[in-house]
Amino acid sequence: MSLIKFFSIIIISSLVFVDFCTGEEAYDAPKFDLKYSKLNNGLQVVVVPHRRAPFVVHMVWYRVGGMDDPVGKSGLSHFLEHLMFKGTKDYPDGMFSKLVARNGGRENAFTSADFTGYFQRISSAKLPLVMELEADRMTNLVLTNEVVSLERSVVLEERSARIDNSPKAKFFEELNKLFYSDHPYGVPIVGWRSDIEGLDREDVLNFYRKHYTPENAIVVIVGDIEPEKALDLARKYYQPIKPKNVQHKKIEYRIKQPTISRLELKSKRLSEATIVRFYPAPSYISGMSNIAPSLELLAEILGGNITSRLYRDLVVEKKLATSAGTFYNPVARELTKFGIYMSVLSGVDIKVAEQAFDNAIRLLLENGVTDLELNSAKKRLIQNFLYSLDSPTTIANIYGGALAVGMTPEDIDQWSLKIKNIQKTDIMRAANLVIDEKRSVTGILQPSTEYLR
Amino acid sequence: MKVYSLLNIFILLTVFFLSVFSITTHAANVERVISPGGFEIWYVREKSIPVIALSIGFIGGSSSDPINKQGLTSLALNLLNEGAGDLDDKQFQKAVADKAIRMRFRSGRDFIRVSLQTLSKNREEAFRLFGLALTKPRFDLPAINRVRSQLLSDIAAQAKDPQTLASRRWYKAMFGNHPYSRSSIGTVNGLMSISRNDLQEFRNNRIGKSDIFIGASGNISVSEISALVDSALSGLPDGTNNSRIDISLPPSVDHLEIIDMEIPQSIAVFGLRSLTRDDPDFYAAYILNYILGGGGFTSRLYKEVRENRGLAYSVYSYLQSLNDVGLLVGGVATRNEAISESLSIIKHELSLLSNLGVTQGELDDAKQAITGGFALRFGTGLSVSEMLVSMQVQGLGIDYIQKRNDYINAVTLSDINSVARRLLSNTPLVTVIVGSPKGINRAN
């Protein structure tokens, strides 16, 4: 749970280290001794030293995620992520995890729509061990039908825990599907239940061979180590892996104009209503990526925290909501979404709430944002970014996530400057482009009035 | 507080496992500093990182709330950033947001834990605002009403959330009428009966200089951190009127409770009374729990319930230390048809541990994992300052970071196996299931 939260925060607030300023004041310039290298086999390596404690974060990111699942085989990327812990010829039967644990390491893995990541945090002296293990499982995974079948049950339990047990999660799964239509972002990362039930060993291994290649991977090392030494180790363990030169077909995905633009559901397991609206929005590397920084600022001004417009308006002043805000993830391989939500205070008429919600959005488009709002949002985003200096894990996630979606270390270096240079007119151009009701999807989730014992 | 809750659902990143990481160490250089104002601060200086973290523990958490005003601590803490001193809620929050200052105010059963994180360049303003929040909160009526309604809304939502509900009922079953049975957030009746006057009483009598533990980490000098702490906290009252909580009696027999909810997967919380933090056998119990269900992908429960049978995504156990009580708490979630099988396996594993103990190999592996992983606990400034407070709260001594791995390594096979017997044989097991479980004998 903590990990998910962590990710959503870093991805939402996004990227970078810098020494710039917003307006008047200059920031301390963190010296960031980053080393970047692309090995002969196409594998990218990023090393950032961080000296607080004597350990390293070692991550391998593959540029494959839920959006790459073949039609009818949703959940395949995520299923493979689980199975990657099962063993190889040299390290069979869960040896990977045993060795990591026995050497004082902690590990985990995650799958998003865009990428799949594996990580260990371990004493710096043990970096060669985890590199050897990760390099080994990049190509040597061994799976039996029995192992696949048992893990399928585990994933079905995971789906129950995350989605099927939660009316809110099920609602968002449906809303996402409606919004994205046949765009692959509309498919749940964990997979539809019936698809998961059909995934077999062959599906997994074919997918693995196609996508788990050095040219499709990024290794990130952050921690207490000399960058040159870490790079040497990366070359030693990862260089021998042969590239596969798999051609990945570039598909042009579009988010279609929705034919149905509204989803309303009720559940007796809810105590308050939620109103949410999705708009298609560019990411940093999809088309129109130059408006992504404006959208980050817009998201912050409108709903980034408790000083933002929606919270002040809907929660504090009008007393219609218990919370309200925005979400926008600009670090994505494809067109993504800009979202606005409010959690309606119990007892408030949903129509009244929705009117106020619409009104807040209309006021933004009519009147724009103020200098005060813009400067404050810039300061918050840039200073929040500086906090990542405090945490090796955060640094690793920032670089890994950005590179995995196709951004470069330079994109990260320039992020603060981009944010700093945004003007009010840029914000309004982005708002007018994205906040378009005709292309939006609205979801209304309400408690059913039925008596609950 | 609630603003970010929805994000977790939108960004559907799935993780492989939520393990309960329990460990720590690195030979951090801890200094004991007495500020001119008389505050004792445990401090770790880290010159290379321009961020400062301050953590504070106050004796007296939600268990100290009056029985008819349950939720007083949670309401008061949630109001600390709603205006303080001359600043109203909007002014205060804007000042905090413009410098990206991070403040957290949380209530546990025995302690209130608060923290501040700031970029070093904003330290003066950050400590000033944090001090205002702790010493001069305004408790304006509109904010009281709003935050109260947010907490009531959280309580209503939690009553329908199977995980939270299972946990709530488990504490109820374990502690009966003792204050530990209550949840920190409070009750509907309790929150409704709290007045502005009660909140002012809270500020005057529940947090004070006599009951405070301070930890900090940052790139500034000892004298500067002292001055900042003095500037922030000098306005606290000297003493408090927190009352001592009675010792709670353990349940005398096994307890199984089922709460029906129409969900496909049953959520179970199980556990028993364990050792207190100051028990000489605590480290043996700690390793025992690591082997049972604390050790991520290598624990016995993980292997038997998840890996070998595919019965759960999440299965775990952890130790919890309250003032006078230790607990071993575990959880599992399995489809309704098979939850009884998961629970039987878990019971079987508990009895195996009690009867046969662990092997030398398991003990050696666990020691290496626990000692080798201690350094990982010191990854961020906040994790360091939180650790420094925990060390004081638990009476561990300023050299704990140096000594902790020795304590782990000193545990022998006979120590751990006798603790296994002491803990697990004939100790009543309390289990709560939320869902529509099949094949469970409800007569129990």
Side-chain angles (χ1 to χ4, degrees):
Chain A
M1 183 149 353
S2 58
L3 192 68
I4 305 177
K5 187 156 203 168
F6 174 63
F7 263 88
S8 41
I9 288 166
I10 64 145
I11 288 183
I12 293 278
S13 69
S14 355
L15 319 178
V16 193
F17 289 113
V18 200
D19 34 345
F20 302 94
C21 38
T22 52
E24 68 294 355
E25 66 206 290
Y27 292 114
D28 305 334
K31 260 296 164 210
F32 219 43
D33 192 13
L34 175 132
K35 291 272 184 275
Y36 171 84
S37 176
K38 194 166 189 173
L39 307 187
N40 296 336
N41 58 8
L43 183 127
Q44 299 178 76
V45 186
V46 175
V47 187
V48 180
H50 193 274
R51 310 286 187 188
R52 188 194 292 282
F55 70 86
V56 289
V57 180
H58 172 243
M59 305 186 90
V60 180
W61 297 69
Y62 293 97
R63 303 178 55 168
V64 60
M67 69 172 296
D68 302 295
D69 294 343
V71 174
K73 295 187 188 300
S74 62
L76 187 52
S77 293
H78 172 254
F79 191 29
L80 170 58
E81 178 226 301
H82 277 231
L83 291 166
M84 284 290 283
F85 290 79
K86 296 305 181 185
T88 63
K89 186 158 77 50
D90 292 344
Y91 299 100
D93 302 328
M95 276 300 287
F96 189 109
S97 295
K98 276 180 214 148
L99 281 168
V100 170
R102 200 178 287 161
N103 285 281
R106 299 291 178 272
E107 59 167 339
N108 216 319
F110 50 85
T111 306
S112 83
D114 295 303
F115 46 69
T116 310
Y118 301 83
F119 67 91
Q120 302 83 36
R121 294 185 304 140
I122 199 160
S123 156
S124 303
K126 307 288 186 183
L127 180 59
L129 169 76
V130 290
M131 282 188 165
E132 182 176 342
L133 289 169
E134 281 291 6
D136 176 52
R137 73 175 171 181
M138 192 179 290
T139 47
N140 296 323
L141 184 65
V142 173
L143 295 174
T144 64
N145 284 327
E146 193 202 354
V147 158
V148 169
S149 164
L150 276 173
E151 199 61 30
R152 195 190 297 117
S153 304
V154 171
V155 170
L156 287 167
E157 293 293 349
E158 182 178 0
R159 190 189 145 87
S160 294
R162 289 186 191 285
I163 313 282
D164 299 327
N165 259 17
S166 161
K168 211 174 234 181
K170 283 175 82 165
F171 170 71
F172 281 113
E173 189 176 76
E174 288 300 325
L175 191 65
N176 219 34
K177 182 182 155 199
L178 180 65
F179 175 71
Y180 282 113
S181 177
D182 53 0
H183 186 294
Y185 279 172
V187 175
I189 295 156
V190 72
W192 300 109
R193 180 166 289 272
S194 58
D195 283 359
I196 300 170
E197 284 166 346
L199 299 176
D200 65 19
R201 180 174 168 273
E202 281 312 300
D203 294 328
V204 173
L205 287 175
N206 288 336
F207 193 79
Y208 168 70
R209 291 185 198 110
K210 181 173 168 192
H211 294 285
Y212 280 48
T213 66
E215 61 268 43
N216 212 27
I218 297 124
V219 171
V220 182
I221 302 138
V222 182
D224 188 17
I225 189 160
E226 285 305 318
E228 281 304 335
K229 189 183 168 201
L231 271 184
D232 284 345
L233 287 170
R235 284 187 202 104
K236 175 177 172 191
Y237 290 102
Y238 291 103
Q239 187 84 272
I241 304 170
K242 297 213 166 33
K244 291 190 182 157
N245 300 314
V246 178
Q247 293 303 315
H248 295 277
K249 199 166 53 194
K250 175 72 186 161
I251 303 167
E252 286 296 323
Y253 294 112
R254 297 193 52 221
I255 300 175
K256 293 194 292 200
Q257 190 106 339
T259 45
I260 307 164
S261 59
R262 204 170 169 88
L263 178 69
E264 297 196 27
L265 285 177
K266 288 190 176 183
S267 165
K268 62 180 177 180
R269 287 204 32 235
L270 290 168
S271 52
E272 65 181 21
T274 299
I275 300 174
V276 60
R277 186 165 298 151
F278 293 166
Y279 305 90
S283 68
Y284 270 109
I285 60 144
S286 63
M288 301 185 297
S289 55
N290 58 328
I291 72 166
S294 299
L295 290 178
E296 285 203 80
L297 286 162
L298 180 64
E300 181 66 23
I301 291 166
L302 205 50
N305 69 18
I306 57 175
T307 65
S308 301
R309 271 190 190 203
L310 291 170
Y311 193 93
R312 288 301 306 180
D313 181 33
L314 301 174
V315 179
V316 180
E317 276 146 35
K318 299 209 172 72
K319 300 181 176 60
L320 299 172
T322 56
S323 76
T326 53
F327 48 92
Y328 168 56
N329 170 19
V331 184
R333 279 156 59 192
E334 295 290 336
L335 271 184
T336 171
K337 65 185 172 230
F338 187 97
I340 303 177
Y341 72 89
M342 79 185 278
S343 301
V344 183
L345 190 62
S346 176
V348 169
D349 185 330
I350 191 83
K351 290 198 183 67
V352 172
E354 195 178 352
Q355 267 169 20
F357 183 84
D358 288 339
N359 203 41
I361 297 167
R362 190 175 52 75
L363 278 180
L364 168 84
L365 294 176
E366 283 176 13
N367 302 338
V369 301
T370 66
D371 287 319
L372 208 62
E373 284 178 313
L374 179 57
N375 286 333
S376 176
K378 284 181 182 181
K379 280 193 227 170
R380 284 203 296 280
L381 287 188
I382 292 176
Q383 294 185 104
N384 270 328
F385 179 71
L386 287 171
Y387 276 100
S388 51
L389 282 174
D390 191 40
S391 162
T393 304
T394 305
I395 297 169
N397 283 326
I398 287 168
Y399 278 97
L403 267 63
V405 303
M407 296 169 71
T408 64
E410 292 72 39
D411 289 333
I412 295 178
D413 290 342
Q414 287 156 16
W415 178 84
S416 291
L417 189 59
K418 275 186 185 159
I419 292 291
K420 185 191 153 202
N421 288 337
I422 297 294
Q423 305 296 314
K424 277 195 297 185
T425 49
D426 299 319
I427 302 272
M428 287 326 292
R429 197 175 311 128
N432 285 316
L433 192 67
V434 169
I435 312 291
D436 176 359
E437 198 169 334
K438 290 193 294 300
R439 304 173 69 215
S440 73
V441 163
T442 302
I444 311 278
L445 180 62
Q446 290 183 78
S448 69
T449 44
E450 217 175 305
Y451 178 68
L452 180 80
R453 67 198 206 87
Chain B
M1 168 179 78
K2 269 197 81 179
V3 189
Y4 292 109
S5 62
L6 274 173
L7 299 179
N8 300 334
I9 291 165
F10 291 122
I11 308 241
L12 268 180
L13 283 175
T14 52
V15 287
F16 182 76
F17 185 70
L18 323 171
S19 50
V20 183
F21 291 128
S22 10
I23 347 299
T24 326
T25 228
H26 161 41
N29 184 20
V30 186
E31 294 175 80
R32 187 199 309 260
V33 182
I34 309 293
S35 74
F39 291 102
E40 177 173 344
I41 306 159
W42 289 20
Y43 185 57
V44 171
R45 190 166 186 191
E46 173 50 69
K47 290 182 184 168
S48 68
I49 297 165
V51 176
I52 297 170
L54 172 74
S55 296
I56 301 175
F58 291 102
I59 294 173
S62 59
S63 302
S64 305
D65 289 348
I67 180 86
N68 59 342
K69 295 190 193 292
Q70 289 178 48
L72 177 58
T73 305
S74 82
L75 182 58
L77 294 182
N78 277 293
L79 283 162
L80 296 185
N81 71 342
E82 293 284 348
D86 295 335
L87 305 175
D88 69 15
D89 58 343
K90 192 174 177 179
Q91 292 164 330
F92 183 87
Q93 289 164 359
K94 182 161 172 24
V96 168
D98 277 353
K99 303 240 183 263
I101 295 161
R102 300 175 179 182
M103 299 183 188
R104 262 201 316 195
F105 308 99
R106 289 168 298 148
S107 177
R109 287 179 166 78
D110 296 317
F111 294 93
I112 289 165
R113 299 287 289 253
V114 301
S115 67
L116 168 70
Q117 283 174 283
T118 179
L119 299 175
S120 300
K121 67 192 176 72
N122 295 332
R123 59 189 176 275
E124 296 285 343
E125 178 75 341
F127 277 76
R128 185 180 78 84
L129 292 167
F130 191 59
L132 276 182
L134 287 173
T135 61
K136 295 194 173 68
R138 286 162 65 120
F139 298 129
D140 289 333
L141 275 174
I144 294 174
N145 291 329
R146 170 163 39 80
V147 172
R148 190 197 330 255
S149 77
Q150 287 172 321
L151 291 173
L152 292 173
S153 151
D154 285 347
I155 289 174
Q158 288 171 357
K160 297 179 180 189
D161 175 61
Q163 188 69 57
T164 317
L165 185 58
S167 173
R168 288 285 153 76
R169 294 293 189 96
W170 187 87
Y171 280 95
K172 189 82 199 147
M174 176 57 83
F175 289 109
N177 290 322
H178 187 272
Y180 284 159
S181 68
R182 307 173 194 161
S183 87
S184 291
I185 193 172
T187 61
V188 173
N189 288 339
L191 286 166
M192 292 305 290
S193 67
I194 295 165
S195 66
R196 180 158 189 260
N197 194 41
D198 293 325
L199 293 160
Q200 285 162 337
E201 287 277 310
F202 175 93
R203 181 195 58 202
N204 294 334
N205 297 316
R206 291 278 303 277
I207 57 174
K209 289 178 184 170
S210 61
D211 291 350
I212 195 169
F213 301 102
I214 305 171
S217 173
N219 61 348
I220 55 176
S221 69
V222 159
S223 60
E224 198 176 355
I225 189 76
S226 300
L228 286 168
V229 167
D230 281 353
S231 74
L233 302 183
S234 59
L236 283 175
D238 288 332
T240 66
N241 65 358
N242 287 316
S243 52
R244 186 89 187 147
I245 298 163
D246 295 339
I247 289 179
S248 69
L249 296 174
S252 52
V253 291
D254 281 1
H255 176 93
L256 173 69
E257 188 174 329
I258 296 169
I259 299 152
D260 290 307
M261 191 182 272
E262 285 176 37
I263 45 178
Q265 184 185 62
S266 290
I267 311 285
V269 174
F270 58 88
L272 37 78
R273 292 290 179 103
S274 171
L275 308 176
T276 52
R277 186 63 182 79
D278 55 1
D279 191 294
D281 279 331
F282 176 81
Y283 293 98
Y286 188 85
I287 301 174
L288 184 72
N289 175 66
Y290 178 89
I291 294 168
L292 172 68
F297 304 153
T298 55
S299 75
R300 286 187 176 196
L301 294 184
Y302 180 88
K303 249 179 274 179
E304 295 303 325
V305 177
R306 174 165 161 163
E307 197 162 68
N308 294 346
R309 294 181 181 81
L311 286 169
Y313 169 64
S314 165
V315 57
Y316 58 88
S317 67
Y318 60 92
L319 296 184
Q320 183 182 4
S321 297
L322 296 168
N323 269 350
D324 299 314
V325 179
L327 299 170
L328 188 158
V329 190
V332 66
T334 300
R335 60 191 182 277
N336 290 324
E337 296 70 29
I339 184 72
S340 67
E341 189 184 350
S342 290
L343 288 170
S344 305
I345 291 162
I346 290 165
K347 270 193 161 175
H348 180 65
E349 287 302 319
L350 292 172
S351 76
L352 278 181
L353 270 186
S354 156
N355 295 330
L356 303 175
V358 306
T359 65
Q360 187 67 48
E362 280 179 304
L363 175 60
D364 293 344
D365 282 356
K367 282 183 180 178
Q368 287 191 39
I370 293 168
T371 55
F374 195 37
L376 305 179
R377 281 235 193 141
F378 298 84
T380 67
L382 187 63
S383 66
V384 171
S385 62
E386 292 285 318
M387 167 69 78
L388 296 174
V389 171
S390 295
M391 283 158 57
Q392 296 174 75
V393 160
Q394 297 175 340
L396 299 175
I398 199 156
D399 55 356
Y400 174 72
I401 296 174
Q402 278 75 38
K403 289 189 170 168
R404 185 267 199 176
N405 280 352
D406 296 339
Y407 299 145
I408 296 289
N409 284 325
V411 173
T412 65
L413 190 62
S414 99
D415 292 338
I416 191 170
N417 288 341
S418 73
V419 159
R421 278 191 300 278
R422 177 179 160 200
L423 266 184
L424 303 174
S425 51
N426 304 318
T427 310
L429 183 69
V430 173
T431 307
V432 174
I433 306 170
V434 177
S436 307
K438 306 284 189 299
I440 302 261
N441 182 2
R442 295 181 183 232
N444 250 348

